[in-house]
Amino acid sequence: NCYDYYDENGILIHKYWPHIFHTDLEDVWKYVNKFSEFTNFQLEVNCYVDWNLIPIPFNLNSIYSLFPLELAKNIEVTLLKYFSYGSKVSILELKDKAIKEDDKSLVFISDYILNKVYKNYIIKQWSRSIDNIDKNIFDRVPIIISRDNRYFPNNKFQWLPKDWYTKMFEKMLNNKNIKIMLNTDYKEVISEINYNNMYYTWPIDEYFDYKYWKLEYIKTLYKFETHNKKSFQKKVVISYPNDHEYTRITESKKFYPNSPTYDIEKTVICKEFPWLWDLEAYPVEIEENLKKLEGYKIEANKLKNHYFLWRLANYKYFDMDKTIKNILDFNI
């Protein structure tokens, strides 16, 4: 998913959506530095709402971008009445607080954010209503009670690999104990391999031949476009929750403002279209799928010396740092 490459114009492309390495985990940060130097990058994302580009995650600056000054001031005062400056608040937490306090201003802003920022994006991304999706999804992009426009305002480390991700993973794999076989189903070769332990990172339902039926995933489709201009949009990523078929547009060259190709009259964008697909990417963590997962977990626990790790085998959304932490904390 982190694969990157240079196109014919010398622009570095993140082929499978943008990735910023961000974490507060010291052991994870120490580990990845074995394989790459890193260059600081602070991601800022905009969201297209009511014909305005606003900072996302939604914050105090977003409010002043959308509403008349007096209304914006009133909303800010109300939010700071209930939440401390700099805090992260789930939209569901904000909604519950509005109902509990019966505060009209809080009700207004919570309803506005839910309907304009989250509701339609979730419908597009997950093909589910907001009432039929795992509530943890809302925690991934909280509301930030501050004027910090960074997408990850509270993470200690926010970097990109200096020689980019593909080079970093090549260094990880350059080890005498690692052999890679591409275009190979492990079932075709496993009988010929002597092993003490198996670490399985592919979909857990596939391992058990879909005994409890297939788990559901969302796959993102990507449409790349090259434009004859220096710049296509203001930020590297712009999200479109309401008005377009795609969910966001990424402009690759804006990741690398010091690149020799930054000022050329060419730029590449990627439009993302979520789709129900056979290829596994995002686990759809809803009740019916989680019930199936419990059956697979029971089967996995019966096996000796078989370990199910990472996103697909756990059927759980992991960021990069949590994926690495999953392994660093793993003990046989």
Side-chain angles (χ1 to χ4, degrees):
N1 286 341
C2 294
Y3 175 73
D4 48 27
Y5 65 97
Y6 287 98
D7 74 352
E8 66 274 13
N9 299 303
I11 298 173
L12 192 69
I13 307 296
H14 289 204
K15 186 173 182 178
Y16 305 107
W17 70 81
H19 291 87
I20 309 299
F21 191 86
H22 60 99
T23 188
D24 290 322
L25 302 172
E26 296 276 355
D27 54 345
V28 171
W29 179 240
K30 182 178 179 181
Y31 176 78
V32 296
N33 273 268
K34 294 179 180 179
F35 306 101
S36 179
E37 295 181 45
F38 285 79
T39 180
N40 185 272
F41 183 85
Q42 305 292 317
L43 177 64
E44 291 187 19
V45 176
N46 277 176
C47 183
Y48 196 63
V49 175
D50 285 347
W51 300 95
N52 294 286
L53 286 176
I54 67 169
I56 203 75
F58 199 95
N59 62 23
L60 299 180
N61 290 330
S62 308
I63 292 169
Y64 282 88
S65 298
L66 286 167
F67 304 117
L69 182 59
E70 288 304 314
L71 177 57
K73 286 181 178 178
N74 179 60
I75 294 171
E76 179 179 12
V77 169
T78 301
L79 288 171
L80 291 173
K81 176 181 176 181
Y82 297 106
F83 304 101
S84 60
Y85 188 87
S87 61
K88 297 192 296 183
V89 182
S90 164
I91 180 58
L92 300 183
E93 181 183 354
L94 182 63
K95 186 70 176 172
D96 288 344
K97 176 66 76 171
I99 295 171
K100 180 181 178 180
E101 299 295 338
D102 194 24
D103 187 306
K104 292 183 179 180
S105 182
L106 209 58
V107 169
F108 167 77
I109 191 60
S110 63
D111 284 346
Y112 184 92
I113 297 172
L114 183 64
N115 289 315
K116 294 290 187 176
V117 177
Y118 290 92
K119 178 181 177 180
N120 292 325
Y121 191 95
I122 285 173
I123 291 171
K124 283 199 290 185
Q125 178 68 34
W126 298 100
S127 297
R128 293 288 188 281
S129 70
I130 58 175
D131 298 322
N132 190 27
I133 201 72
D134 188 87
K135 304 309 179 188
N136 292 328
I137 287 176
F138 294 99
D139 296 332
R140 295 177 193 165
V141 186
I143 298 154
I144 310 296
I145 313 299
S146 79
R147 294 183 178 277
D148 190 335
N149 287 340
R150 292 177 299 166
Y151 196 74
F152 309 112
N154 297 318
N155 282 149
K156 184 176 181 180
F157 306 106
Q158 299 182 54
W159 301 75
L160 285 169
K162 185 177 180 180
D163 295 322
W164 321 124
Y165 285 107
T166 296
K167 292 294 183 182
M168 183 176 79
F169 291 122
E170 286 175 350
K171 289 180 180 179
M172 284 186 179
L173 295 169
N174 185 22
N175 186 296
K176 63 182 178 63
N177 295 321
I178 296 176
K179 179 179 179 179
I180 301 172
M181 299 178 68
L182 302 178
N183 302 315
T184 304
D185 187 330
Y186 84 98
K187 293 179 181 179
E188 298 173 359
V189 297
I190 194 66
S191 62
E192 303 172 17
I193 299 174
N194 294 320
Y195 64 91
N196 295 320
N197 301 296
M198 177 187 286
Y199 306 92
Y200 186 85
T201 63
W202 199 237
I204 189 170
D205 54 339
E206 182 175 322
Y207 182 87
F208 293 105
D209 295 320
Y210 310 109
K211 181 176 182 178
Y212 301 104
W213 303 103
K214 195 175 188 332
L215 294 170
E216 188 178 5
Y217 296 85
I218 290 291
K219 174 67 177 177
T220 301
L221 306 180
Y222 309 97
K223 180 182 178 182
F224 286 90
E225 298 175 359
T226 300
H227 293 264
N228 296 319
K229 55 173 64 177
K230 287 183 180 180
S231 176
F232 183 86
Q233 59 191 26
K234 290 183 177 181
K235 299 294 182 181
V236 62
V237 179
I238 295 181
S239 173
Y240 293 85
N242 305 307
D243 301 294
H244 301 275
E245 186 180 0
Y246 44 82
T247 54
R248 61 180 179 177
I249 296 178
T250 300
E251 186 172 8
S252 295
K253 68 192 297 188
K254 284 188 165 57
F255 281 119
Y256 319 110
N258 297 320
S259 168
T261 59
Y262 187 76
D263 289 325
I264 65 172
E265 291 289 338
K266 293 277 188 181
T267 193
V268 177
I269 65 167
C270 177
K271 295 178 179 177
E272 297 183 27
F273 300 82
W275 202 255
L276 287 170
W277 205 253
D278 288 335
L279 298 175
E280 289 75 9
Y282 294 105
V284 182
E285 298 174 61
I286 59 175
E287 184 177 359
E288 61 190 83
N289 288 323
L290 296 178
K291 285 182 178 179
K292 297 174 191 174
L293 178 63
E294 287 303 311
Y296 290 121
K297 285 183 176 180
I298 292 171
E299 297 294 333
N301 289 332
K302 294 177 184 178
L303 300 177
K304 293 183 178 180
N305 304 326
H306 285 60
Y307 305 97
F308 295 82
L309 303 167
W310 295 359
R311 181 187 291 186
L312 298 180
N314 281 276
Y315 197 69
K316 187 175 180 62
Y317 186 96
F318 285 134
D319 283 334
M320 277 191 287
D321 64 329
K322 301 302 190 302
T323 302
I324 295 170
K325 185 68 172 174
N326 182 228
I327 296 298
L328 295 182
D329 288 350
F330 176 76
N331 292 303
I332 298 175

